[in-house]
Amino acid sequence: GENVEQHPSTLSVQEGDSAVIKCTYSDSASNYFPWYKQELGKGPQLIIDIRSNVGEKKDQRIAVTLNKTAKHFSLHITETQPEDSAVYFCAATPHGTSYGKLTFGQGTILTVHP
Amino acid sequence: NAGVTQTPKFQVLKTGQSMTLQCAQDMNHNSMYWYRQDPGMGLRLIYYSASEGTTDKGEVPNGYNVSRLNKREFSLRLESAAPSQTSVYFCASTQAGVGDIQYFGAGTRLSVL
């Protein structure tokens, strides 16, 4: 099955700096890559996603890039703010599923210091 | 619009006790999922239901059973709880297919002593 590795496990930045989280996946047939943000005591919430026919997608201060050849994708957050502090998860669809099954990375705890 | 609602929010069990975690969604979604979240391991799929009347095993199904009661409700049952099942459990739902957003509930924090 699909395997998703996420790095780093923790990331600490100063307010205003950029943050980058990287994920690699194993199944070359995976075609959908969402990123979720989980705030303390809450469930994960989608913040951005990318499909395999697109190399980059941007939404205000967040962007995701995808390299299908290398089988990795990354989340970029610019001009970080304290409210960006949370746990971030990447995910990928396993091959052969048509029911939205996702394989998640291990998560990155992002801390933005004021 | 409540989205995905999970009950209870917290639960403490003794080893061997049973309980059912409830999940309901009001978005008319076809597919529903149960995950468990453990430190350093991300979210792991326990069971899923692609549509009303169907259920399938995920990555870590042992020790759990599920019921898709109707289109809205998907329950997770622990027949004989073990300390290894101490975790945070999330229910999620999506309309269908690859590339559809999964919406998560707030989670149930379960401790098995």
Side-chain angles (χ1 to χ4, degrees), chain A residues 31-32 36 38-46 49 51 87 89 93-94 97-107, chain B residues 31 33 35 37 40-45 48 50 57-58 90 94 96-107 109:
Chain A
N31 56 4
Y32 176 62
Y36 284 82
Q38 184 180 25
E39 297 177 340
L40 194 62
K42 297 184 179 180
Q45 184 174 11
L46 181 80
D49 57 12
R51 289 167 174 76
V87 182
F89 292 98
T93 55
T97 179
S98 61
Y99 302 120
K101 286 171 58 181
L102 296 173
T103 299
F104 285 84
Q106 296 86 348
Chain B
S31 301
Y33 312 83
Y35 294 91
Q37 183 178 24
M41 302 187 75
L43 292 139
R44 293 181 294 168
L45 184 64
Y48 70 102
K57 296 178 180 179
F90 288 99
T94 189
V98 173
D100 289 312
I101 299 170
Q102 285 196 18
Y103 295 87
F104 284 80
R109 285 148 184 81

Side-chain angles (χ1 to χ4, degrees), chain A residues 18-67:
Chain A
S18 295
V20 180
I21 303 170
K22 299 180 179 181
C23 289
T24 60
Y25 61 98
S26 60
D27 190 342
S28 57
S30 284
N31 56 4
Y32 176 62
F33 307 92
W35 285 89
Y36 284 82
K37 176 183 180 182
Q38 184 180 25
E39 297 177 340
L40 194 62
K42 297 184 179 180
Q45 184 174 11
L46 181 80
I47 54 172
I48 196 167
D49 57 12
I50 192 167
R51 289 167 174 76
S52 60
N53 59 341
V54 176
E56 183 174 358
K57 183 177 178 180
K58 191 173 182 180
D59 182 3
Q60 299 183 338
R61 295 187 298 108
I62 60 173
V64 57
T65 58
L66 172 65
N67 184 326

Side-chain angles (χ1 to χ4, degrees), chain B residues 6 15 27 31-33 35 43 50-51 53-54 56 75 80 83 95 98 100-102 108 110:
Chain B
Q6 291 183 237
T15 298
M27 296 173 283
S31 301
M32 298 184 72
Y33 312 83
Y35 294 91
L43 292 139
S51 60
T54 69
D56 283 288
S75 63
S80 179
Q95 180 55 30
V98 173
D100 289 312
I101 299 170
Q102 285 196 18
T108 294
L110 175 66

